[in-house]
Amino acid sequence: MEASFTKLWETCTWRQSYGANDLEESQLNQEYLKEGSVFVHNNDVDGKPLLIFRVKLHSKSKNLDELIRIVVYWVERTQREQHLTQLTIFFDMAGTGLATMDLDFVKRIVETFKQYYPNTLNYILVFELAWVLNAAFKVIKALLPPKAVEILKMISKKDINQYITKDNCLASWGGEDNYEFSFVPEAKKVTSKPVAANAGDDEQFDKKGPNLERESAVGSVLVTRLHPEEVGPSVA
């Protein structure tokens, strides 16, 4: 129990310092965001959103902190928009060679999910891994905890439909979806301010609102940490 509360505290501290709850596209590297190397589109067979990494578009010269910030943005945005606690990571390795295979980036992705989103992953799908990258991927696999290895699947066009239906597969994966990535800003929710009896009460609502929202978020994290069986496999 003590370990669970320690992890909860560490996660809450990180979320506050990182600004995870309020992360917006304006705070991100626009070039990285709009090139489409990381984005969310469609769902797996269980209805979980696909967080897609098109590895061939990656460059080892990119700033890893800014890339991870984009990963966090997509996770947070997906949870806000779809009210889901899980998603599937899809590493699109088609056309990827040693020049774009960045072990440091993959390690950072693994550590981010392991530390701050331990029960978020439904599957980790690795699509069309070239044989020249097998050795590198063994290194990555060794970084994963046992429960993450269980949901790690190496797939190709022959068996991708076991995890993603044909209508949810991009054409480049052998599917029916001709989608081409184009970044669409997140729709902003318009919330009406509570009707106040006087100006003093109105000010009080303004002060209490954010606190109540943060308390709700903390409660959600607590359930995830202390009752992981309710939300699926953990990568911790």
Side-chain angles (χ1 to χ4, degrees):
M1 180 67 73
E2 183 178 349
S4 296
F5 276 105
T6 299
K7 283 189 174 183
L8 170 62
W9 179 258
E10 291 174 351
T11 298
C12 290
T13 300
W14 171 80
R15 291 186 66 83
Q16 183 178 32
S17 62
Y18 202 83
N21 283 345
D22 304 313
L23 197 56
E24 299 180 350
E25 53 261 26
S26 61
Q27 300 169 298
L28 307 175
N29 183 305
Q30 296 300 299
E31 179 185 351
Y32 296 175
L33 179 65
K34 295 178 180 179
E35 72 180 356
S37 60
V38 183
F39 62 96
V40 172
H41 182 67
N42 284 350
N43 304 313
D44 66 14
V45 292
D46 297 320
K48 310 303 182 184
L50 297 173
L51 176 60
I52 301 166
F53 292 85
R54 291 199 294 184
V55 183
K56 70 178 181 180
L57 297 181
H58 179 66
S59 169
K60 294 179 182 179
S61 64
K62 290 180 178 178
N63 184 296
L64 292 186
D65 290 334
E66 293 185 352
L67 284 171
I68 291 298
R69 198 165 183 80
I70 289 175
V71 173
V72 172
Y73 164 77
W74 280 116
V75 174
E76 294 291 328
R77 173 174 171 172
T78 301
Q79 292 182 341
R80 285 193 297 267
E81 291 180 334
Q82 303 191 35
H83 306 291
L84 295 173
T85 57
Q86 285 191 299
L87 51 78
T88 284
I89 286 182
F90 187 96
F91 286 107
D92 185 350
M93 306 296 293
T96 301
L98 292 173
T100 53
M101 184 62 187
D102 189 346
L103 288 178
D104 289 334
F105 181 37
V106 177
K107 287 178 183 178
R108 288 286 298 275
I109 295 171
V110 170
E111 285 302 313
T112 298
F113 278 93
K114 181 179 178 180
Q115 293 294 326
Y116 308 120
Y117 301 99
N119 301 292
T120 300
L121 299 182
N122 191 42
Y123 287 113
I124 303 172
L125 303 178
V126 181
F127 177 72
E128 298 285 2
L129 180 70
W131 68 269
V132 295
L133 298 176
N134 282 338
F137 203 81
K138 286 181 180 179
V139 174
I140 296 170
K141 188 175 181 179
L143 298 173
L144 299 174
K147 289 185 179 180
V149 174
E150 292 176 7
I151 60 174
L152 174 66
K153 308 296 178 182
M154 313 295 290
I155 61 175
S156 65
K157 288 183 179 180
K158 294 180 180 179
D159 55 3
I160 190 173
N161 295 139
Q162 294 180 29
Y163 305 98
I164 307 172
T165 59
K166 203 171 185 67
D167 59 323
N168 275 293
C169 282
L170 298 182
S172 59
W173 306 343
E176 300 173 348
D177 186 357
N178 293 313
Y179 172 79
E180 293 290 339
F181 174 78
S182 177
F183 179 74
V184 177
E186 182 178 6
K188 302 299 181 183
K189 290 184 178 180
V190 178
T191 56
S192 58
K193 184 179 293 186
V195 178
N198 54 53
D201 289 341
D202 190 41
E203 183 179 359
Q204 189 177 39
F205 274 119
D206 288 343
K207 291 180 179 178
K208 286 185 177 180
N211 290 331
L212 291 174
E213 183 178 352
R214 283 196 294 272
E215 290 170 5
S216 176
V218 170
S220 177
V221 174
L222 180 60
V223 170
T224 300
R225 293 291 188 180
L226 301 184
H227 302 284
E229 70 279 359
E230 297 181 6
V231 292
S234 169
V235 297

